Amino acid sequence: MLTSERSLCDRVELVKGQTTAIIDEIIGSLPNSKRLTDSERRGIIARYTSVLEGNFIYWMTATAIAARSPQSQPILLDNLYDEVHDAHPHMMRKFALAANAFPTDKDFMALHDDLTRMRLFMGKLMPVRSVLAMAFFEGFIQKFMAYLADLAMELNSNELEYTDVHGVCDIEHTEGLYKVLAAELALAPSEPEEGLFEGVILLRTLIEQIMQPEYEPQAEHIAGLRNGSARLATSGARG
Ligand SMILES: [Fe+2]
């Protein structure tokens, strides 16, 4: 193996290790699902659904548009094929509805600012950062599935197709995304370390908001957002 290939492999392994450590830290800090109230369980499923149902395919598509290496496209399209062919958004909705946890306007709006930041980040179409963000997201989703299934079962649902499928297929998807990361880094060997985890950090913040929103959106804030006259982030929220 050439020295440049060796250093690329080392760099991907290093980044993968750092990303996995962040995922494991989040999973390790999840509250005990048995000790949550039904309202808290419903809220987590609802906010998770409000992000995943409408944004996952969109962000993977953004990553496919951003990627530049010929090796990246087949892997990313294969991931999107599964999402579309097996109708994962439908699977997500079925899961939430069966747990009586379909998101309300408050659930959507509790994540408004952090979701907007993530959407704007994806719009910058930065290949390496986007791919790393999606590798993190797939890896997190896969490890989060057992917990999400526990929440649904605590809410007396046995509709677990979404969590069953994503606990398994995302292992392969995550590995594929690290191959894409290697291919994209090979085209951008001078990609700076600084900022590499930009999307990962935004997603981590979004996940933290899913688990425990910093504020409960009030009706007047939602109304303000509708007519464009106010931002949701007020007291106690991130600026
Ligand atoms: Fe999916």
Side-chain angles (χ1 to χ4, degrees):
M1 190 182 278
L2 298 171
T3 311
S4 59
E5 286 178 20
R6 180 72 256 161
S7 67
L8 176 65
C9 284
D10 288 347
R11 192 169 180 203
V12 171
E13 281 307 309
L14 180 68
V15 169
K16 187 177 177 181
Q18 291 169 319
T19 308
T20 305
I22 296 170
I23 293 169
D24 290 343
E25 198 182 310
I26 298 171
I27 297 294
S29 68
L30 296 174
N32 185 335
S33 62
K34 299 253 181 294
R35 297 210 188 118
L36 296 174
T37 64
D38 278 353
S39 168
E40 289 168 328
R41 293 178 185 119
R42 193 214 67 82
I44 293 168
I45 293 177
R47 290 185 296 274
Y48 177 89
T49 303
S50 80
V51 172
L52 268 289
E53 185 186 319
N55 292 291
F56 187 87
I57 290 176
Y58 153 29
W59 292 339
M60 192 60 78
T61 303
T63 305
I65 293 169
R68 292 184 299 161
S69 166
Q71 290 144 278
S72 301
Q73 293 300 329
I75 297 172
L76 295 171
L77 287 179
D78 199 46
N79 189 311
L80 282 167
Y81 179 92
D82 287 347
E83 287 290 326
V84 174
H85 181 267
D86 299 338
H88 286 197
H90 171 58
M91 230 181 251
M92 177 84 270
R93 179 170 287 203
K94 268 196 310 182
F95 175 83
L97 284 170
N100 206 13
F102 195 68
T104 65
D105 55 352
K106 284 192 178 183
D107 296 314
F108 276 102
M109 291 307 176
L111 303 178
H112 176 79
D113 287 357
D114 292 310
L115 183 71
T116 300
R117 287 187 190 100
M118 188 59 196
R119 286 175 163 174
L120 296 178
F121 161 78
M122 277 298 180
K124 290 193 267 184
L125 299 170
M126 296 178 286
V128 174
R129 294 184 195 191
S130 299
V131 172
L132 180 58
M134 293 312 284
F136 165 80
F137 209 21
E138 288 272 15
F140 165 76
I141 290 167
Q142 186 257 316
K143 289 186 177 172
F144 186 61
M145 288 303 97
Y147 185 83
L148 196 65
D150 282 347
L151 294 179
M153 287 187 285
E154 292 283 342
L155 292 169
N156 299 316
S157 172
N158 56 9
E159 169 53 65
L160 301 175
E161 186 186 13
Y162 176 83
T163 48
D164 286 348
V165 165
H166 289 81
V168 176
C169 81
D170 284 355
I171 297 174
E172 194 186 326
H173 284 168
T174 306
E175 286 308 310
L177 285 166
Y178 282 110
K179 286 185 192 150
V180 175
L181 181 68
E184 294 302 321
L185 270 174
L187 290 182
S190 55
E191 177 85 19
E193 288 300 319
E194 198 183 329
L196 198 63
F197 283 76
E198 182 182 355
V200 174
I201 292 164
L202 291 171
L203 279 174
R204 180 186 188 149
T205 306
L206 196 54
I207 292 164
E208 286 166 355
Q209 283 286 81
I210 288 171
M211 293 310 300
Q212 193 163 32
E214 286 189 356
Y215 52 89
E216 219 8 59
Q218 301 302 311
E220 61 270 25
H221 293 141
I222 295 172
L225 279 166
R226 278 197 195 105
N227 65 29
S229 65
R231 280 170 53 76
L232 187 63
T234 52
S235 59
R238 291 181 186 88

